[in-house]
Amino acid sequence: MLDLTYETPKPKVIAGAKHDWELVIGMEVHAQVSSKAKLFSAASTQFGAEPNSNVAFVDAAMPGMLPVINEFCVEQAVRTGLGLKAEINLVSAFDRKNYFYPDLPQGYQISQLYHPIVGEGEVLVDMGNGIARLVRIERIHLEQDAGKSIHDMDPNMSFVDLNRTGVALMEIVSRPDIRGPEEAAAYITKLRQILRYLGTCDGNMQNGNLRADVNVSICRPGQYEKYQETQDFSHLGTRCEIKNMNSMRFIQAAIEYEARRQIAIVEAGGSVDQETRLYDPDKNETRSMRSKEEAHDYRYFPDPDLLPLEIEQAWVDDIANTLPELPDQKKARFINDFGLADYDASVLTADLESAGYFEKVAQGGDGKLAANWVINELFGRLKKDGHDITTSPIAPERLAKIVALISKGDISGKIAKDVFDIAYTSDRDPEEIVETEGLKQVTDTGAIEAAVDEVIAANPAQVEKAKANPKLAGWFVGQVMKATGGKANPKAVNDLVSAKLGL
Amino acid sequence: MSIDENTAARVAKLARIKVEDEALPALASDFNRILGFIEQLNEVDVEGVEPMTSVTPVRLKRRDDVVTDGNQQQKVLANAPDAREGFFAVPKVVE
């Protein structure tokens, strides 16, 4: 049933002064686990709280405090792994990544370098029109987030808030399988969609709950294929890592800028230094974060405060049994069961709320018609009014009734728009609206016939003209529709007018 | 493995421990003695032996996802050399 055949997209090619160049991109996405409490403490993860109010002594690294792992966070990492078709490691372990920064009171981040909880998986990145890129996932590990430093409140001081310190992150590491800025954005979009379906991360990029480090390198055409054959990185260029991006638009702009910067260096006979860079959206450029370079010796070692994390296969199986229908499956089902176009199915499965809403509307009978109404009428209106699907003033059951009324021929598409407008603004039931306002389409041919006869009798001159030029029959249809208040079935009117005029 | 003075200086810097230049030779030699002592462990054949992580058969302790801690801004900031408006105030660190 699942038709997931697709074509692979062409890599982005940038013309340098001397040659053509291709891009090679890998991403490390940090996704905040949707837990109430932190990874190793019982302090809240709530965003926007008073500074330093969501801080346990563990988070503040007070002497003698010991980390105790939040089992829900482990479960979410496993769930995410299963959703990305990845292998789950029943034994994983935590390591200390040592560096000094004011927002890291421990002096180390607890992470999983050597034994991550999730191994290799994959994400199918939909590029539209049957084109998709399969991006391999290398690993997912659990780690602590750092605190937040604010630099603009005082000219001489930085202000540190530890509320985010110790919040659980899943670092999702891809292979360098992404081949252009648009693919990079599509990859994040797809990953975010899957995480939101799974409920393991809310995907709020604005709050920094989903952010990415982007590794970019360039190579001559043909080199990437050699890498894929051998998995030998020496076929690729030296990469630079652009840190901490939380906007799709900036991710694309940063990749584009960084690729051109590297091309200019290499074509001038230089070589790219492997380094960490920061994107500046105001200037649209990346620049070196030299201060971080020296600290790059993280002296990882196993965290002696934490035993290895052992989980049971039966527990993993339980989680697997509660996985929801994932975006690829849902989309395929919408195409197969409701006869939707690829694009419409993508739009409706973009998030769970829209998909759920649509399915309720589709119970009105005609899936395609339901899709049209949800995408064109409802989404358009919601957007105009600053609503989203969860705050829609019209319930899906009511929109389903409108769709059913159209399908049954009780109202025309045109009248349906009026009914929709009333139901949307007044909290009234569509069937009641049609009844009370007398909007029911006249399908009774007798009544329509009478109206047609009347119009023909009243306009003998027009009849002559129409007989000479059948295109003018439309004028009669318009008059009849007017006379019946738009309630006559347009097809019946058309047929009767043609018959009566002898066309 | 042999630690020279440069390596000793680098290790001290990474650990943010101030070591005067004249103390480096002694530090490097201490490192070498310690590492030499530990290297004896390499003489033991541990082929096929699982690393021991605990002397008792204890499973890693878990907690439920419940908020029972926090809301103690005053206590958290009590030891800070400088705090303003609920934040730790530190010398400017900016990229």
Side-chain angles (χ1 to χ4, degrees):
Chain A
M1 171 203 143
L2 272 181
D3 178 21
L4 294 177
T5 51
Y6 53 87
E7 265 178 66
T8 303
K10 295 215 164 30
K12 165 120 177 170
V13 176
I14 295 181
K18 293 180 182 163
H19 318 285
D20 279 352
W21 296 90
E22 290 181 4
L23 278 63
V24 180
I25 301 159
M27 290 217 226
E28 295 160 21
V29 172
H30 293 87
Q32 183 178 323
V33 175
S34 60
S35 61
K36 295 188 192 79
K38 295 183 179 182
L39 181 56
F40 294 113
S41 88
S44 170
T45 59
Q46 183 98 47
F47 181 83
E50 270 283 289
N52 293 304
S53 61
N54 292 342
V55 182
F57 290 141
V58 181
D59 309 318
M62 293 295 174
M65 302 307 297
L66 288 172
V68 179
I69 197 161
N70 182 334
E71 188 162 44
F72 178 82
C73 297
V74 178
E75 185 185 333
Q76 303 320 303
V78 171
R79 186 181 298 280
T80 301
L82 293 169
L84 302 184
K85 298 181 190 138
E87 45 177 323
I88 306 299
N89 295 322
L90 297 181
V91 180
S92 61
F94 291 95
D95 304 294
R96 290 185 179 180
K97 177 182 182 176
N98 300 280
Y99 67 95
F100 288 95
Y101 206 72
D103 57 23
L104 186 79
Q106 285 170 151
Y108 57 85
Q109 176 194 32
I110 304 179
S111 182
Q112 296 189 302
L113 177 68
Y114 299 111
H115 302 287
I117 186 161
V118 177
E120 293 182 334
E122 62 186 43
V123 175
L124 186 65
V125 181
D126 204 333
M127 305 294 294
N129 296 322
I131 297 172
R133 172 82 68 194
L134 191 68
V135 175
R136 294 169 300 161
I137 300 297
E138 181 183 324
R139 56 188 280 157
I140 304 175
H141 58 259
L142 276 168
E143 63 183 26
Q144 298 175 300
D145 205 346
K148 203 170 144 191
S149 301
I150 298 164
H151 304 294
D152 56 7
M153 282 175 66
D154 185 287
N156 304 312
M157 312 290 277
S158 290
F159 284 23
V160 179
D161 174 9
L162 300 183
N163 281 350
R164 213 177 57 187
T165 305
V167 167
L169 300 179
M170 298 177 281
E171 180 169 330
I172 305 165
V173 183
S174 87
R175 301 269 184 204
D177 292 352
I178 301 161
R179 306 301 314 283
E182 298 79 17
E183 280 185 38
Y187 169 75
I188 298 272
T189 304
K190 184 60 179 284
L191 195 56
R192 179 173 180 275
Q193 182 190 24
I194 294 171
L195 293 169
R196 285 170 55 87
Y197 266 60
L198 293 167
T200 57
C201 168
D202 70 12
N204 186 331
M205 296 184 79
Q206 215 162 7
N207 289 358
N209 297 356
L210 190 75
R211 46 194 202 266
D213 298 341
V214 186
N215 288 291
V216 181
S217 67
I218 51 160
C219 69
R220 298 286 305 279
Q223 291 299 107
Y224 184 78
E225 287 70 21
K226 285 184 193 161
Y227 154 72
Q228 279 293 6
E229 254 165 57
T230 57
Q231 295 298 309
D232 178 355
F233 286 105
S234 69
H235 295 295
L236 303 178
T238 304
R239 67 188 154 89
C240 287
E241 182 181 15
I242 313 166
K243 276 280 185 201
N244 230 357
M245 309 282 300
N246 66 343
S247 141
M248 303 277 189
R249 193 160 60 86
F250 293 159
I251 286 172
Q252 296 186 61
I255 291 171
E256 183 89 29
Y257 173 87
E258 180 58 22
R260 291 182 188 279
R261 185 187 73 88
Q262 293 180 13
I263 291 167
I265 291 173
V266 175
E267 290 199 335
S271 62
V272 174
D273 291 330
Q274 182 171 339
E275 60 178 359
T276 307
R277 300 179 69 84
L278 203 62
Y279 177 69
D280 180 340
D282 295 330
K283 294 185 182 147
N284 185 28
E285 61 178 33
T286 63
R287 57 171 181 268
S288 182
M289 293 172 77
R290 281 178 221 289
S291 57
K292 284 248 170 175
E293 293 312 301
E294 173 186 79
H296 253 163
D297 186 345
Y298 290 126
R299 295 152 297 145
Y300 279 98
F301 63 89
D303 192 320
D305 288 343
L306 290 158
L307 287 166
L309 174 58
E310 294 181 68
I311 55 177
E312 292 74 41
Q313 185 60 48
W315 188 62
V316 175
D317 293 342
D318 286 348
I319 298 170
N321 288 334
T322 63
L323 281 198
E325 182 184 39
L326 290 166
D328 290 341
Q329 299 161 320
K330 202 183 273 294
K331 184 180 159 188
R333 183 167 63 80
F334 279 14
I335 291 172
N336 286 327
D337 292 6
F338 299 116
L340 302 191
D342 189 281
Y343 176 80
D344 288 354
S346 291
V347 171
L348 291 170
T349 54
D351 59 78
L352 270 182
E353 290 79 13
S354 300
Y357 190 103
F358 162 73
E359 287 207 73
K360 285 186 187 151
V361 177
Q363 284 172 2
D366 185 337
K368 253 181 158 163
L369 190 61
N372 278 340
W373 272 83
V374 172
I375 294 172
N376 298 324
E377 298 303 324
L378 179 67
F379 284 178
R381 184 67 182 264
L382 292 175
K383 193 170 180 192
K384 203 178 99 194
D385 296 352
H387 280 295
D388 68 38
I389 193 78
T390 57
T391 59
S392 169
I394 180 168
E397 293 77 12
R398 291 205 164 154
L399 189 49
K401 282 188 178 175
I402 295 180
V403 171
L405 286 165
I406 303 169
S407 299
K408 276 192 288 176
D410 281 357
I411 53 173
S412 66
K414 193 168 169 295
I415 295 281
K417 289 189 185 186
D418 299 337
V419 176
F420 173 79
D421 189 58
I422 298 169
Y424 183 96
T425 47
S426 73
D427 194 32
R428 282 170 62 191
D429 182 86
E431 283 168 1
E432 176 270 317
I433 294 167
V434 170
E435 203 61 41
T436 313
E437 311 293 329
L439 297 173
K440 203 158 180 176
Q441 185 162 254
V442 179
T443 41
D444 169 13
T445 34
I448 298 174
E449 205 174 342
V452 173
D453 286 342
E454 213 169 285
V455 174
I456 287 177
N459 300 283
Q462 286 288 334
V463 172
E464 290 313 311
K465 280 190 200 162
K467 281 185 175 162
N469 179 7
K471 277 186 192 160
L472 294 176
W475 182 84
F476 286 93
V477 175
Q479 291 300 307
V480 174
M481 293 306 284
K482 213 179 191 177
T484 56
K487 289 180 290 180
N489 182 315
K491 192 179 173 307
V493 176
N494 250 320
D495 293 349
L496 277 165
V497 165
S498 297
K500 297 265 175 192
L501 292 175
L503 299 175
Chain B
M1 186 178 177
S2 170
I3 304 284
D4 61 16
E5 286 177 36
N6 284 337
T7 311
R10 181 172 154 72
V11 170
K13 186 166 187 207
L14 284 170
R16 299 295 189 273
I17 294 171
K18 186 176 181 182
V19 178
E20 302 296 344
D21 282 353
E22 51 271 29
L24 283 174
L27 183 66
S29 128
D30 271 356
F31 273 150
N32 281 320
R33 271 206 306 274
I34 294 163
L35 288 173
F37 174 71
I38 292 170
E39 256 163 34
Q40 291 178 62
L41 293 174
N42 288 340
E43 291 164 20
V44 183
D45 181 9
V46 290
E47 189 67 34
V49 179
E50 281 279 305
M52 186 180 70
T53 49
S54 171
V55 290
T56 49
V58 181
R59 184 174 181 261
L60 175 68
K61 192 175 156 47
R62 274 89 156 148
R63 71 164 74 243
D64 288 336
D65 185 31
V66 180
V67 177
T68 56
D69 209 339
N71 284 319
Q72 46 178 356
Q73 191 195 59
Q74 294 296 326
K75 285 184 185 169
V76 166
L77 295 172
N79 295 322
D82 193 0
R84 294 179 204 177
E85 294 171 60
F87 293 94
F88 292 92
V90 301
K92 195 96 170 169
V93 270
V94 78
E95 288 300 338

